[in-house]
Amino acid sequence: QVQLVESGGGLVQAGASLRLSCAASGRTFSSYAMGWFRQAPGKEREFVAGISWLGGSTYYADSVKGRFTISRDNAKSTLYLQMNSLKPEDTAVYYCAASSRLSRSSYEYNSWGQGTQVTVSS
């Protein structure tokens, strides 16, 4: 398994930007498809974005398409989520996760980080 640690969350105003990072250790990072998920209070965990092993394919939730960008640096074993034009409804705990294949389903991901809080004020 791969171990994942997220960072970069914080409190920002609506319209601001944040970049989340997810540092991986353990097994070879480049052998995993990666995803970002989020969970707001009282809501189920939802898919945000996913990226294939080498970064050639990406998926986004409709709610973040055009505002968020997922990327990875396999040499640094790090996953990123650039979040622009943040909205209050983006407030949630954000998790990175690893999977054997690119998917929108959380059930496909078997390694998870501890999460980082993102709070967007209006």
Side-chain angles (χ1 to χ4, degrees), residues 8-25:
L11 171 62
V12 297
Q13 291 189 332
S17 298
L18 277 176
R19 188 176 80 156
L20 304 184
S21 298
C22 172
S25 61

Side-chain angles (χ1 to χ4, degrees), residues 8-11 18 20 39 41 91-94 115-119:
L11 171 62
L18 277 176
L20 304 184
Q39 187 166 19
T91 295
V93 177
Y94 283 71
T116 186
Q117 177 70 47
V118 172
T119 303

Side-chain angles (χ1 to χ4, degrees), residues 49-98:
I51 188 167
S52 58
W53 303 343
L54 299 180
S57 296
T58 55
Y59 292 168
Y60 294 95
D62 288 343
S63 59
V64 307
K65 200 173 295 183
R67 298 188 298 123
F68 290 11
T69 302
I70 188 171
S71 62
R72 65 190 298 163
D73 185 338
N74 286 343
K76 295 182 178 179
S77 296
T78 303
L79 176 73
Y80 302 100
L81 185 68
Q82 178 66 45
M83 305 186 295
N84 298 330
S85 302
L86 282 161
K87 304 175 181 180
E89 51 263 44
D90 294 318
T91 295
V93 177
Y94 283 71
Y95 300 89
C96 65

